Amino acid sequence: LDQVAATQAMAAKITELSASEKKVYDRQLRVWGVDTQLRLSNASLLLVNATSLLAAETAKNLVLAGVGSLTVVDNTPLSSPTRPASNTNNYLVNAASSSSDSYETYGSALAASLQELNPLVRVHHVCTSASSLSADTLAGATLVAAFGLSTADFDSISRLCRAQSKPYYLGASAGG
């Protein structure tokens, strides 16, 4: 999916929950109510770096909760002679890569796994690097989350988000 199409997909606004959404999100509706679920359903997350387990776990939780759309930005090859796809600690990527050979990047494999978790969420993949992100890529997102990147990439994303007054989270983890 190209960057323009992903941005347009993120712009759709939901004003009422469908019967299927009410059924799927019943427990959440009782905890935080319809207004909060509608806000979540209208949120568009741009997730940068699918190789990070922290990113995969964050994305999984938001997709299961019913975020409106999630776009995974990553162009890291899924496997190479030095790192086979089966040699990753990202269980969502492992699940996708073991079920099909059609995924070329971590981003495409993660997006496919996330889409299977919740078909009510619009999940997209943009095949580009964190260092190649542009204002156009961020345009339709209501929130940007980037994980496990270099300081230079974090700084670049921070500048892009601040220029657009867009909220963002930058995260990293250490250890096994």
Side-chain angles (χ1 to χ4, degrees):
L1 187 67
D2 68 4
Q3 294 176 3
V4 174
T7 299
Q8 290 170 343
M10 288 189 276
K13 185 109 171 149
I14 298 170
T15 58
E16 188 176 310
L17 293 174
S18 69
S20 61
E21 287 172 316
K22 287 177 184 174
K23 184 177 179 183
V24 169
Y25 305 130
D26 176 63
R27 188 177 296 175
Q28 292 161 220
L29 292 171
R30 286 188 260 157
V31 172
W32 57 53
V34 174
D35 289 340
T36 301
Q37 189 65 42
L38 280 171
R39 283 197 308 261
L40 184 60
S41 294
N42 284 311
S44 299
L45 174 67
L46 187 76
L47 179 89
V48 183
N49 188 12
T51 62
S52 165
L53 187 56
L54 181 58
E57 188 66 22
T58 300
K60 177 200 67 138
N61 291 335
L62 289 168
V63 164
L64 289 175
V67 68
S69 72
L70 184 138
T71 300
V72 179
V73 176
D74 194 296
N75 68 345
T76 307
L78 188 56
S79 62
S80 67
T82 58
R83 183 175 187 167
S86 60
N87 189 22
T88 176
N89 62 352
N90 188 332
Y91 61 95
L92 290 170
V93 169
N94 281 341
S97 63
S98 65
S99 66
S100 172
D101 298 339
S102 64
Y103 305 113
E104 296 179 7
T105 65
Y106 275 84
S108 60
L110 179 60
S113 287
L114 293 171
Q115 187 64 75
E116 286 181 25
L117 291 175
N118 189 347
L120 297 173
V121 174
R122 298 175 310 277
V123 180
H124 310 284
H125 171 241
V126 173
C127 190
T128 192
S129 66
S131 58
S132 299
L133 282 178
S134 67
D136 290 340
T137 310
L138 274 59
T142 54
L143 175 69
V144 176
F147 299 93
L149 299 172
S150 69
T151 304
D153 285 341
F154 276 151
D155 186 49
S156 174
I157 291 170
S158 175
R159 276 189 262 114
L160 276 171
C161 290
R162 287 179 187 195
Q164 295 185 25
S165 299
K166 191 157 308 277
Y168 63 97
Y169 291 99
L170 306 175
S173 62

